[in-house]
């Protein structure tokens, strides 16, 4: 009975997608990110190297609207190359390939920022479910599930030692009125934060945050505890 209640409330959807994304993908590729970025930096010494940005930047749009081509999402995001592939035998698939794309992002001052960036692909599932009558998944439920996916994934990764300092979650709500370069600005803001963190470490003194920056509580997207999946038992186990 409790399982059926959980199924009807769909609380298990985003939770399961977040764990699947971590176990089936991020836990495999993230520990190898630093090495891939180091190899790229050595092969391209002319490009500025900011080690704090040597991580996978994962886009989490709460609308679940994902572009297969980032260059079409924002013309200031341009594909550069693919990083070194990781090839593994996985679930019966011989030589399964995992790889990431490196992009050059132009800011408002025409400065280039290089980073590995991609969408959180499970959001495509949430979007497809909201479009499929069989799933009976409303737009409002999709938004709540997207928030829950972000919050769950954030907690999973925070507790993962092997993935520490190898990722950056970029969760955002798109403006109601379309902005041509909203996505590139959002990514550049995070890259600047990472760059400031590196400078602060080198100087051994913290740098003040920009007045326009969102703090960590705002990046939590006002997700309350009630949005999280609740345990089926109430006796503390």
């Amino acid at each position: 009975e409790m399982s059926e209640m959980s199924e009807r409330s769909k609380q298990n959807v985003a939770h399961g997608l977040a764990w699947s994304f971590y176990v089936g993908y991020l836990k495999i590729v993230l520990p190898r990110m630093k090495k891939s970025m180091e190899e790229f930096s050595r092969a391209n010494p002319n490009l500025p190297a900011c080690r704090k940005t040597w991580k996978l930047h994962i886009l989490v749009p709460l609308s679940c609207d994902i572009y297969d081509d980032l260059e079409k999402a924002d013309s200031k995001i341009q594909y550069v190359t693919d990083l070194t592939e990781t090839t593994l035998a996985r679930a019966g698939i011989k030589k399964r390939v995992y790889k990431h794309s490196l992009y050059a992002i132009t800011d408002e001052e025409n400065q280039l920022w290089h980073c590995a960036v991609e969408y959180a692909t499970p959001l495509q599932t949430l979007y497809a479910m909201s479009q499929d009558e069989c799933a009976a998944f409303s737009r409002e439920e999709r938004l709540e599930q997207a928030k829950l996916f972000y919050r769950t994934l954030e907690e999973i990764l925070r507790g993962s030692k092997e993935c520490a300092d190898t990722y950056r979650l970029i969760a955002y709500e798109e403006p109601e009125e379309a902005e041509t370069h909203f996505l590139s600005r959002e990514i550049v803001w995070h890259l600047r934060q990472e760059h400031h963190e590196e400078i602060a470490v080198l100087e051994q003194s913290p740098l003040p945050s920009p007045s326009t920056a969102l703090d960590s509580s705002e990046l939590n997207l006002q997700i309350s505890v009630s949005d999280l999946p609740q345990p089926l038992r109430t006796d503390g186990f």
Side-chain angles (χ1 to χ4, degrees):
E1 181 180 353
M2 295 300 293
S3 179
E4 289 178 0
M5 289 174 60
S6 178
E7 188 70 29
R8 285 195 299 270
S9 67
K10 300 183 178 68
Q11 289 180 332
N12 56 337
V13 175
H15 188 262
L17 286 174
W19 271 104
S20 178
F21 189 43
Y22 169 69
V23 174
Y25 180 62
L26 296 181
K27 191 176 181 180
I28 298 169
V29 301
L30 288 182
R32 296 172 171 82
M33 275 301 302
K34 295 288 185 184
K35 182 180 178 181
S36 294
M37 292 300 296
E38 285 174 0
E39 291 174 353
F40 176 81
S41 183
R42 284 197 299 268
N44 299 271
N46 57 314
L47 296 179
C50 174
R51 290 181 176 272
K52 271 292 183 178
T53 65
W54 288 4
K55 56 188 68 174
L56 183 61
H57 297 78
I58 304 169
L59 303 177
V60 185
L62 294 188
S63 66
C64 299
D65 193 6
I66 289 177
Y67 285 83
D68 289 326
D69 189 340
L70 274 170
E71 293 173 311
K72 292 182 179 178
D74 191 321
S75 61
K76 288 192 175 183
I77 303 174
Q78 294 297 315
Y79 169 79
V80 176
T81 188
D82 289 331
L83 298 179
T84 306
E85 296 179 352
T86 296
T87 304
L88 299 171
R90 184 76 175 171
I93 302 173
K94 295 287 188 180
K95 298 181 180 180
R96 182 166 185 175
V97 175
Y98 299 87
K99 67 179 181 180
H100 310 287
S101 296
L102 190 78
Y103 289 88
I105 303 173
T106 306
D107 65 15
E108 64 275 7
E109 299 173 355
N110 289 323
Q111 177 182 351
L112 287 179
W113 298 78
H114 293 85
C115 71
V117 59
E118 61 190 52
Y119 285 102
T121 52
L123 295 179
Q124 289 182 313
T125 300
L126 289 178
Y127 188 85
M129 290 178 68
S130 70
Q131 303 298 309
D132 194 315
E133 293 181 1
C134 295
F137 214 59
S138 70
R139 182 174 299 181
E140 291 74 19
E141 287 173 321
R142 184 183 71 197
L143 175 60
E144 291 306 310
Q145 289 298 310
K147 292 180 181 180
L148 179 53
F149 172 84
Y150 165 73
R151 183 67 169 271
T152 305
L153 184 61
E154 182 184 46
E155 291 182 355
I156 293 170
L157 288 171
R158 189 184 297 130
S160 174
K161 293 181 180 179
E162 59 264 56
C163 295
D165 201 35
T166 62
Y167 68 92
R168 179 95 171 193
L169 294 181
I170 303 179
Y172 58 90
E173 290 186 276
E174 296 177 348
E176 293 183 3
E177 295 185 6
E179 294 183 24
T180 307
H181 301 301
F182 168 79
L183 186 56
S184 59
R185 287 200 304 271
E186 190 75 16
I187 297 172
V188 166
W189 184 88
H190 284 269
L191 294 174
R192 282 177 174 152
Q193 288 297 99
E194 292 166 337
H195 185 66
H196 290 162
E197 290 169 10
E198 182 178 58
I199 294 175
V201 170
L202 293 175
E203 295 181 350
Q204 296 184 342
S205 61
L207 290 178
S209 299
S211 58
T212 57
L214 298 174
D215 60 29
S216 59
S217 62
E218 290 174 305
L219 284 178
N220 281 336
L221 306 171
Q222 291 79 45
I223 303 171
S224 66
V225 175
S226 62
D227 288 324
L228 294 175
Q230 302 300 313
L232 296 182
R233 294 174 59 178
T234 58
D235 54 5
F237 293 90

